[in-house]
Amino acid sequence: MDDERIRERERLQIEQIRELDFEELQVEEVDDLHDSDSDDNHLSSFPFSSHAQASGNLGDDEFIFNPALASLHMYLGEVEDTQNRIAFVDGGTVLKISLFYLEGVVLFPEATLPLRIVQPSFLAAVERALNQANAPSTIGVIRVYREGAQFKYASVGTTAEIRQYRRLGDGSFNIITRGQQRFRLKRRWTDVEGFPCGEVQIVDEDVPLRTPRDAFGKLVPLSKLRDRYPSSRASLSTPLRDLDAQSEANSEESFESALSPSEKRLHYSVVDSIFCNSTSSDDDQVVSTSTIQSSGSNPYSSRSIGCLASSHDDENEEEQSAIGKTPISQKKYQKQNRLASFREHTDLSRFRMTPRAFWPFWAYRMYDSYYLAQRAADLWKQIVAVPNMEAFVNTPDILSFSIASKIPVSESIRQELLELDGVSYRLQREIELLESFDRVRCIHCQTVIARRKDMLVMSNEGPLGAYVNPHGYVHEIMTFYKANDIAIRGRPVKKDSWFPGYAWTIANCATCETQLGWLFTATNKKLKPSSFWAVRGSQVADDMR
């Protein structure tokens, strides 16, 4: 029922926006936009990450742009779904597919990429992709970039599945693709029909882990602890929530098994002293769990747990000796009482959160994909908000690609994210970027043209998305409600606008006169926001601090 209401609301919004196309664009209002302080203040009331928040600022006859329209790429016209799509192929598989070299574009898995194919050679490439048997409706997308007077090709790209297409009357294609899997380019050549082809190897993506693989060899397995200390079976029988089955299997090679008998005795005595000495104070106050955890040493190590179990066994033995009328020293009796009180007032389930090796807990979290995913999603919600990443927290690999495809940074940094192997490493880099991202600079003159606080989300895809113009050039743009040191050139144009209800004007850097993007202005004052800036990702510098 909710879906029907949403579709009906979107249909009404589309009809309203189409009605705007019949009204005259107020050119003088657009020209005065950049010189009026009152207009700047008016625009500043729309720095929304979520457009739903804007409803309180609208008048009775005003309505806000629906970001779902931009993600539909309506400017491409009606499209139809493709048939015979291919499922994901296994990592390591080698494919021979058509290649599309795109300047200024980095495609990630799960990201949408619109294409307009006008060149005859690439028309043949699309025809072959739609009909090929080994990888139907699949092409490869590779970033190409300039280095001096030469073009360079990235070594890592992404397969794209053609999901929708439309053949126009002049023979050209409008197609909408979606990123599938990363690949490494092994070799490339030009087909007899004139389009690029390549042999690519699908990347075998790693499985998201909760702790690093190479740490498990140093951990004491829980099964050995249970066998050694039967009395602690109740507190250790519950499997670790934060470790998966693979982690448990990898942990069977324990740290202790690698020690000699003399080294084991030394190891046990040191670890026992960490906890047991902490309970030997004359103060009868019970030691709290929070105090133990905040200390410099790690009293919750595997041997410390064993110390509790061992002490419990010792207590039973002492009680039996007491029954046999064997004298017990007062000091030892007090120590037993402290240990019993500690066990009674301490939640031993907290031990499951602690490492069973010498490394502290925070060291494991640095490579815990699920912890990093939650942290990245929280940062995204705080800084960007749209789209919501919470749904992907339990799939860190998909989350890492989703953030990488939408984070408003330079194309070279995004290519770096694409080439990173390992979910945890990619998430670490994204967290670093989200925390440090503050300013957008021109790649040529380093002029600051926008700031993070001015970011505006105009598409359900997020603050950065790919769009294609009628000539077939694809541009990845990031949107802002306010920009600095940008000069517009020419008059607003409504035709072929990527955002229904808005006209576009070319925008250049005021310092070096390089084209940075476009200014989009509403064709009617009833539509909000009344204007916004679209900056090309290829013209953004790497330094964003």
Side-chain angles (χ1 to χ4, degrees):
M1 197 68 180
D2 291 339
D3 293 340
E4 294 180 0
R5 285 199 298 268
I6 292 174
R7 284 195 293 268
E8 179 65 18
R9 185 168 63 251
E10 291 181 354
R11 186 184 65 80
L12 292 175
Q13 291 242 7
I14 292 174
E15 291 179 357
Q16 288 178 318
I17 290 173
R18 285 175 174 170
E19 290 176 2
L20 296 176
D21 291 336
F22 295 98
E23 300 185 16
E24 287 291 326
L25 174 65
Q26 302 296 325
V27 177
E28 63 274 12
E29 181 179 330
V30 173
D31 291 339
D32 294 339
L33 181 64
H34 315 286
D35 301 324
S36 172
D37 293 336
S38 61
D39 282 348
D40 289 341
N41 293 333
H42 180 64
L43 288 176
S44 66
S45 64
F46 292 95
F48 306 116
S49 293
S50 175
H51 291 273
Q53 299 173 1
S55 57
N57 296 329
L58 297 179
D60 294 336
D61 59 344
E62 295 177 334
F63 61 96
I64 197 164
F65 178 75
N66 184 356
L69 301 178
S71 60
L72 295 176
H73 299 279
M74 297 173 58
Y75 56 91
L76 292 178
E78 297 292 333
V79 291
E80 59 183 83
D81 295 337
T82 56
Q83 306 297 325
N84 303 322
R85 296 178 183 174
I86 187 175
F88 284 89
V89 299
D90 294 333
T93 303
V94 176
L95 299 175
K96 293 181 179 179
I97 54 178
S98 305
L99 294 181
F100 281 69
Y101 302 131
L102 299 180
E103 186 176 5
V105 175
V106 182
L107 178 64
F108 286 87
E110 303 299 323
T112 300
L113 175 66
L115 295 173
R116 175 160 168 74
I117 313 301
V118 294
Q119 298 180 5
S121 59
F122 285 99
L123 292 174
V126 173
E127 290 280 7
R128 177 175 296 185
L130 290 173
N131 298 297
Q132 62 193 4
N134 62 333
S137 302
T138 300
I139 60 176
V141 177
I142 288 280
R143 171 184 172 245
V144 61
Y145 58 97
R146 299 175 187 268
E147 196 170 274
Q150 295 182 334
F151 281 102
K152 298 288 186 178
Y153 301 91
S155 59
V156 176
T158 304
T159 59
E161 180 186 64
I162 301 175
R163 295 202 167 184
Q164 296 173 307
Y165 74 100
R166 178 191 180 194
R167 191 193 301 271
L168 303 181
D170 58 1
S172 61
F173 274 105
N174 286 344
I175 64 177
I176 296 178
T177 70
R178 192 163 185 84
Q180 292 288 91
Q181 294 173 276
R182 294 192 305 151
F183 66 77
R184 289 187 173 85
L185 182 62
K186 297 175 67 69
R187 64 188 183 95
R188 55 188 177 86
W189 65 90
T190 301
D191 189 81
V192 292
E193 295 186 64
F195 59 85
C197 292
E199 184 179 79
V200 303
Q201 184 175 33
I202 301 299
V203 174
D204 189 8
E205 303 290 357
D206 65 336
V207 178
L209 295 177
R210 298 189 183 276
T211 50
R213 290 177 187 267
D214 56 356
F216 294 131
K218 301 181 178 65
L219 300 180
V220 180
L222 286 175
S223 57
K224 293 188 177 181
L225 285 174
R226 286 192 289 267
D227 293 340
R228 179 177 297 179
Y229 308 114
S231 62
S232 63
R233 188 182 303 272
S235 63
L236 294 175
S237 59
T238 303
L240 283 176
R241 234 176 240 186
D242 292 337
L243 292 176
D244 52 20
Q246 184 179 7
S247 305
E248 196 66 36
N250 290 339
S251 67
E252 289 302 322
E253 180 185 356
S254 76
F255 168 76
E256 293 180 1
S257 64
L259 300 179
S260 65
S262 60
E263 290 173 333
K264 283 184 179 181
R265 286 194 297 272
L266 178 62
H267 170 64
Y268 293 160
S269 64
V270 171
V271 177
D272 280 343
S273 65
I274 292 175
F275 175 77
C276 296
N277 288 344
S278 67
T279 62
S280 62
S281 171
D282 293 335
D283 188 2
D284 291 336
Q285 185 179 3
V286 177
V287 181
S288 67
T289 303
S290 59
T291 304
I292 295 294
Q293 286 185 328
S294 62
S295 62
S297 60
N298 184 8
Y300 292 164
S301 64
S302 61
R303 187 57 187 168
S304 298
I305 300 175
C307 178
L308 287 177
S310 178
S311 299
H312 182 64
D313 294 340
D314 291 344
E315 183 179 352
N316 292 336
E317 292 175 3
E318 296 294 352
E319 290 175 357
Q320 292 174 0
S321 65
I323 295 174
K325 297 183 181 180
T326 302
I328 301 175
S329 66
Q330 183 68 19
K331 184 176 181 180
K332 201 170 220 179
Y333 181 75
Q334 292 175 353
K335 179 179 179 180
Q336 291 173 356
N337 286 340
R338 284 193 295 268
L339 287 172
S341 179
F342 178 84
R343 288 194 296 270
E344 181 180 352
H345 295 86
T346 303
D347 181 11
L348 296 183
S349 64
R350 299 292 297 273
F351 292 149
R352 304 189 187 105
M353 298 176 59
T354 62
R356 294 172 285 144
F358 289 123
W359 294 2
F361 189 62
W362 59 264
Y364 289 92
R365 277 192 164 184
M366 289 175 60
Y367 300 94
D368 186 324
S369 300
Y370 292 85
Y371 169 75
L372 293 171
Q374 184 63 65
R375 186 178 172 192
D378 291 342
L379 273 174
W380 182 270
K381 182 178 181 179
Q382 174 187 348
I383 296 173
V384 183
V386 178
N388 189 353
M389 296 292 181
E390 289 294 331
F392 304 120
V393 169
N394 292 327
T395 52
D397 48 346
I398 296 178
L399 176 69
S400 68
F401 287 132
S402 183
I403 290 179
S405 67
K406 298 171 175 58
I407 187 169
V409 295
S410 67
E411 63 168 298
S412 58
I413 292 180
R414 297 176 70 244
Q415 180 66 38
E416 172 195 338
L417 293 174
L418 181 67
E419 295 179 1
L420 276 176
D421 291 326
V423 178
S424 60
Y425 297 111
R426 192 177 306 113
L427 286 170
Q428 285 175 1
R429 180 65 172 132
E430 290 167 353
I431 290 172
E432 177 187 350
L433 291 171
L434 286 171
E435 290 176 337
S436 61
F437 166 55
D438 182 53
R439 302 180 181 184
V440 177
R441 303 174 186 271
C442 173
I443 192 174
H444 300 285
C445 64
Q446 301 299 312
T447 299
V448 177
I449 54 179
R451 297 177 182 272
R452 185 182 74 183
K453 63 183 180 64
D454 301 326
M455 192 163 48
L456 176 69
V457 178
M458 291 296 293
S459 169
N460 281 350
E461 296 290 333
L464 185 142
Y467 303 85
V468 61
N469 68 16
H471 306 289
Y473 292 98
V474 181
H475 298 282
E476 286 186 328
I477 60 172
M478 52 189 76
T479 49
F480 300 88
Y481 83 94
K482 182 180 178 181
N484 309 307
D485 295 316
I486 295 183
I488 61 172
R489 188 187 72 193
R491 312 291 284 184
V493 179
K494 291 189 291 184
K495 185 180 179 181
D496 300 316
S497 176
W498 297 328
F499 300 91
Y502 288 86
W504 55 270
T505 310
I506 295 175
N508 294 341
C509 176
T511 304
C512 65
E513 298 184 354
T514 302
Q515 184 191 353
L516 291 177
W518 301 268
L519 169 67
F520 284 86
T521 51
T523 56
N524 186 279
K525 61 182 179 181
K526 297 179 182 179
L527 180 61
K528 303 297 179 183
S530 56
S531 72
F532 63 93
W533 300 87
V535 178
R536 298 164 58 196
S538 61
Q539 302 304 309
V540 171
D542 292 345
D543 182 11
M544 307 192 76
R545 296 180 182 271

